[in-house]
Amino acid sequence: MSLGGFIDFSFTQEPQDTVTVRGGVLQLDCQAQSDVLVAGLPSISWRKDGVLLSTVVDERRRQLENGSLLVQNVMHARHHRPDEGEYQCLATLDGLGSIVSRTARVTVAGPLKVIVPTESVSSYLGDTALLRCEVSGDPTPVIRWQKNREDLPLTFEPDSRLAALPSGSLQVSRVQPPDSATYRCLADNPGSTRTGTDAELRVLPGNNSCSSILKWICSDLWVGLACLEDCRWFSLQNKKYSLLAGTNLIIRSVTDDDSGSYSCTASNKNHNITAHAELSVLVPPQFLNYPTNTYAYESTDIELECAVTGNPLPSVRWMKNGEEVIPSDYFQIVDGSNLQILGLVKSDEGFYQCVAENSAGSSQAMAQLLERAGLGVALPSAPCDLVPVLVSSRFVRLSWRPPEESGGTVQTYVQKNNEPVLFVLRERSVNVSEPESLELTVSNLKPEESYSFRVIAYNNVGPGESSVLLSVSTVQVPSRVESLRAGALSPSSIQVSWEPPSLPNGPVLGYRLLWTESPSGKEQSVEVNGLNYKMEGLNKFTEYTVRVLAINRYGPGTTSEAVSITTQSDVPGAPPQNITLEVVLSRSIKISWQPPPRSMHNGIITAYKIKYRKTGRRGDQEAIEPNNFWYLFTGLEKGSQYSFQVAAMTVNGSGPASDWYSAETPENDLDESQVPDQPSSLHVRPLPNSIIMSWTPPLSPNILVRGYIIGYGVGSPYSETVRVDSKQRYYSIENLEPSSHYVISLKAFNNAGEGVPLYESAVTRSLTDPIDPSEDDLFHLFDKYPTPMPDTSTPMIPPVGVQAVALSSDSVRVSWADNSMTKNQKTTEVRYYSVKWKTSYSTSGKYKSADTTTLSHTVTGLKPNTMYEFAVMVTKGRKSSTWSMTAHATTYEAAPSSAPKDLTVISREGRPRAILISWQPPMEANGRITGYILYYTLDKNMPIDDWVMEAINGDRLTHQVVDLNLDTVYYLRIQAKNAKGVGPLSEPIHFRTTKGRGGEHAYWPSDTNPLDRGNINGSPIGQMRPPHGSATPQKNSNLLVIIIVSVGAITVVVAVIVALICTRRSSAQQRKKRASHSASKRKGSQKDLRPPDLWIHHEEMEMKNMEKAPSVAPSGRESPIQSCQDLPQVAHSQSESQMGSKSSHSGTINSYTFDSFLNLMVHFSLMLTCKSDETQVQLQNTLIRVD
């Protein structure tokens, strides 16, 4: 192969983990090969702990001719371990690049240390004995046992009563007299050997309850797999599990699926205990997606993929030519493990390795990156006259003229700019959003930097020639100011000072001081002429972040480093809020409060000061509460009234005190084992901006009432709640909206809970209503004059408590309450309810509606995953209420009901066997799209189950298909899916892959007729074939039919116009005669109108103006012509304003005949572009509708 292509370069042998001993010989093997004979054999070098090894510095090290590393007389001491560590070999091809091997861990075996010596054990006959032996060392030693100085086997048979546990201990199950002997353990690793102390196992006659043994002997549970005594393991149905020595669990052929929790139950006649342990199986890194060899054009952005799995999750790093890639502005790790290279340059070529490592091992995969030049076939020439239009400190606006030779349609322009980064001229590219746009603003530049710009035009083949390089320098602005300092002068002021910038780059015209308030994030700025400024009017004890920048004639410079400063503290600016008094017992009162508003703390609240006094006594007493928001006063007098006030404290002192709040202790303790009854009465009096309410307490005097809860809101009593004292009998609800309907609830509460609420409603007055002067003070009238019921002259109260609950993807249940009815009135008494709805995002203002006589209605035929708003109106006789407050509900998701749009295929440059597919989401997704399914095949008549399927996760709109056949027509379809299922398939499209080098590729929409190969070969590359059925020279027969139909249509149109003129004249005279007669009959007919029990406002069959939904052309602009399939049907609907009146069918047809005629003309004009057979069907259907 040539040196211009990809190289097969890999390791045939890599170094492995090794354990050696001090004074021994260490050998690590490494060999590599490649298929490039010109470059010669790969050269091998070695690294230790990331540093290149030199055989000259240390004579003990020597590299053999085959590349292996030999280390003689291995050294190892407590503070000097030069040979222990991580080794890698580096294989290099001169002039092409390098690859690095896996990491091999070299361990020098150290001395062993006995942690727990073996002790003698006594065990009853039939019990289980455990002889401990814990020895540590690196590497972990192998433990073996001797009985009476004779070796026991390293592994025991499953039915043996003896078992060596992973901890090193020896277990003897069902102890027998022959087990009485002397035991000792021996520990070995490559570095040393240790022999344990002798321990005696004594077998005692008789039995034991084992109550104490169970407590400690099961503590030797190892990784959830060892259990002693009479043990039972859970989940032993699988044949891969077996028992050793009757109690220890053995798992064969361990996989990652064996990870989990294991439980062992040990029991005897007195006890039953269970131990749990987690088993975690370590899995070395495994590649799910390997990086692939890649060609890329200069200045493009590429991404090398690498997906790995393992347990624990591996860490991923990238190597380029044997050196680790450090993330930067141009090398970025994306999606966790993929490497993205921005603005490709020649020096980015080389061998890239994805190295994955975890505690179970390491693995690496390699790919080669090569830069490719343009194809040079039918490519655009260079854009002309590239000039800077506007140059600033941080952006440059460029303009140019199109290339003289485009080689086809210019698809886009790419602007490329470069700047020196680490002595490498790295180029970045930006795509122009619109192909016809000949301007671009390049932003995020640095002041006082020189940039080079060039523009390249792209057509469907690839990039063309570059324009002449344009050098532009951004203007110079001041550098950062120096020595920024800030200090708090008082609770509301900060002094800021600074020094001028070291590089002003011209006269400094002034400074801009910026400060940000925490935590609101509100930023303010001020222009300053000097070198200091006093910030005043600040919030107390608030943190501010201060920055300063200098300004010259080119604009503001770089901001300084931010400095944070907090204003000084002060006494609280407001009293505590939401103070409540609760009479706990006859001799105790609990006072509760909330801190002052956060903005009024003015420091750290350290405590609260509470003053209290008994009514009628002089002098106040104080109490301090440092920790809580409540305080309990005890030892009070029965039947006495006490007053309380609270103030917050900081280190600066006490803030303003609250108002006095009073509570009275009862003569005796009342019952609080049950909730209070309903208040006995509730009266309300509305004003324009408030509602004054009064009430009387529950009738039962023996149940304790600690207070009342008031709820109110527009149409619902659950919007706002207020708690008031039990002694209070009136309350004024303030800050209300005029002419609004409010629903109010009142309920009593105590420590047992909240009682039954009492409801009332009121409509606030309008601002223009006169107010009776006698109502200025209404409190003395409440018990005397209850709230009157609205008379017949007042409007009806709209339904309240409207709720909407989604039932399915196309239905919502709407329910409400009607407060305008008395308690004994039935809902069927001469009243009905109208429900209207529309989508929440609709801006047309058109509602659909339905009528019912019940207090709920199920709306069907809705769109899936769509939010709707609902409102209800009540009608009784001739009176109707206003519409209620709206309720919202979102229908459930459903599977997509339309296919993805604009399925498009293009070929990949330099990859003839790969194509890039793009599409747009479906119009009716009916939920969040979770993925797409792509199908492609060579035979479109095959069942869809036999097509090749590729799943695409997420909401991506592009996908690449590789390994296709050359010069082959493929058929492709796609469908969307969401959480509820998959949607319909798109129409199939055709795509012909290229012939390899310079081959043509084409994309055709699907058609039922065979392709006209003559037209295909005659079409220019990259152009669309006209849709089947359009007016082309091949369709002369269809054109003839269209001409005949058009002549007939014109004849019909002339006849319709003559008939229309005559009809409108006669209709006008008849309407005048019927006007007076119908007006007199309308009054009588409305009186007798009785709505049915349940009906829907059916839309009248009227000929309406047709509204065409704008269709979007492929270019993103509005398409002037719709396709035949998109012809709108004649609308039959009734607007909301027409619901109250109904007209006869003949009158409707007369009033809309002219509109129907216009609709007919629209149909004719659209159908002239369609097939002849379709035109005849559409014409016939349209004439039927007109008749």
Side-chain angles (χ1 to χ4, degrees), residues 713-716 739-743 761-764 797-800 819 885:
V714 177
S716 172
S739 304
S740 299
H741 176 260
Y742 286 87
V743 180
S761 61
V763 178
T764 52
I797 299 174
V800 298
N819 282 355
M885 295 294 293

Side-chain angles (χ1 to χ4, degrees), residues 453-728:
F453 301 92
R454 60 193 182 102
V455 178
I456 300 174
Y458 277 69
N459 61 9
N460 59 339
V461 178
E465 298 179 10
S466 171
S467 66
V468 178
L469 200 65
L470 174 67
S471 296
V472 177
S473 297
T474 53
V475 297
Q476 296 180 340
V477 294
S479 61
R480 292 179 176 178
V481 300
E482 299 182 352
S483 304
L484 178 62
R485 299 175 297 276
L489 301 179
S490 69
S492 61
S493 62
I494 293 175
Q495 181 71 32
V496 184
S497 62
W498 60 89
E499 297 296 333
S502 58
L503 297 174
N505 295 321
V508 176
L509 304 180
Y511 298 90
R512 181 176 300 162
L513 173 64
L514 306 98
W515 65 91
T516 304
E517 178 184 316
S518 297
S520 66
K522 179 182 178 182
E523 186 176 72
Q524 302 181 56
S525 63
V526 65
E527 303 293 332
V528 182
N529 291 326
L531 297 176
N532 57 76
Y533 184 77
K534 182 178 181 181
M535 301 162 50
E536 297 181 304
L538 306 179
N539 294 330
K540 299 178 181 180
F541 197 68
T542 303
E543 183 182 25
Y544 290 88
T545 302
V546 182
R547 294 173 294 129
V548 178
L549 54 84
I551 305 173
N552 66 6
R553 62 186 181 127
Y554 298 113
T558 307
T559 60
S560 64
E561 295 289 340
V563 174
S564 297
I565 185 67
T566 301
T567 52
Q568 297 177 2
S569 63
D570 199 357
V571 297
Q577 52 189 350
N578 298 336
I579 297 175
T580 59
L581 298 177
E582 179 183 349
V583 180
V584 180
L585 294 171
S586 59
R587 296 177 61 87
S588 60
I589 295 177
K590 179 183 178 181
I591 180 172
S592 304
W593 62 88
Q594 291 297 320
R598 181 66 186 174
S599 59
M600 306 302 290
H601 281 196
N602 299 341
I604 299 175
I605 302 295
T606 58
Y608 292 90
K609 180 188 293 185
I610 309 157
K611 289 185 179 182
Y612 68 100
R613 65 191 177 196
K614 181 182 177 182
T615 303
R617 290 184 183 177
R618 295 184 178 181
D620 301 334
Q621 302 182 54
E622 291 186 357
I624 302 297
E625 175 52 55
N627 301 317
N628 301 312
F629 296 144
W630 59 270
Y631 192 86
L632 181 63
F633 289 90
T634 58
L636 306 179
E637 298 180 10
K638 294 183 178 180
S640 302
Q641 188 178 51
Y642 289 86
S643 299
F644 304 84
Q645 69 172 190
V646 188
M649 303 174 63
T650 64
V651 293
N652 302 85
S654 299
S658 67
D659 295 333
W660 288 95
Y661 292 83
S662 299
E664 184 177 350
T665 56
E667 293 289 346
N668 298 296
D669 293 331
L670 300 178
D671 180 20
E672 202 173 2
S673 62
Q674 55 183 321
V675 299
D677 293 338
Q678 189 181 53
S680 54
S681 67
L682 171 62
H683 309 292
V684 296
R685 182 61 57 89
L687 297 176
N689 298 107
S690 62
I691 295 177
I692 302 173
M693 55 183 296
S694 70
W695 62 91
T696 55
L699 296 178
S700 176
N702 298 323
I703 300 178
L704 178 63
V705 176
R706 295 196 175 275
Y708 297 91
I709 300 176
I710 301 170
Y712 62 94
V714 177
S716 172
Y718 309 114
S719 299
E720 302 287 342
T721 58
V722 178
R723 288 177 177 256
V724 298
D725 184 73
S726 61
K727 298 298 181 182
Q728 194 160 337

Side-chain angles (χ1 to χ4, degrees), residues 931-976:
Y932 294 89
I933 302 176
L934 176 70
Y935 298 87
Y936 58 93
T937 183
L938 299 178
D939 182 7
K940 71 174 182 179
N941 296 322
M942 294 175 59
I944 193 64
D945 293 338
D946 296 334
W947 291 38
V948 179
M949 182 189 74
E950 291 193 12
I952 305 164
N953 295 326
D955 54 359
R956 293 191 298 128
L957 299 177
T958 59
H959 183 68
Q960 178 177 273
V961 180
V962 297
D963 297 331
L964 301 179
N965 297 331
L966 298 178
D967 194 23
T968 303
V969 175
Y970 283 87
Y971 300 88
L972 301 98
R973 305 179 74 178
I974 193 169
Q975 64 182 165

Side-chain angles (χ1 to χ4, degrees), residues 17 102 254-256 281-288 307-315 356-364:
D17 295 345
R102 69 177 297 276
V254 175
T255 65
D256 190 27
V281 179
L282 301 181
V283 180
Q286 299 175 356
F287 285 93
L288 301 177
V308 295
T309 184
N311 187 27
L313 187 65
S315 62
E357 298 174 322
N358 64 7
S359 56
S362 65
S363 185
Q364 59 96 5

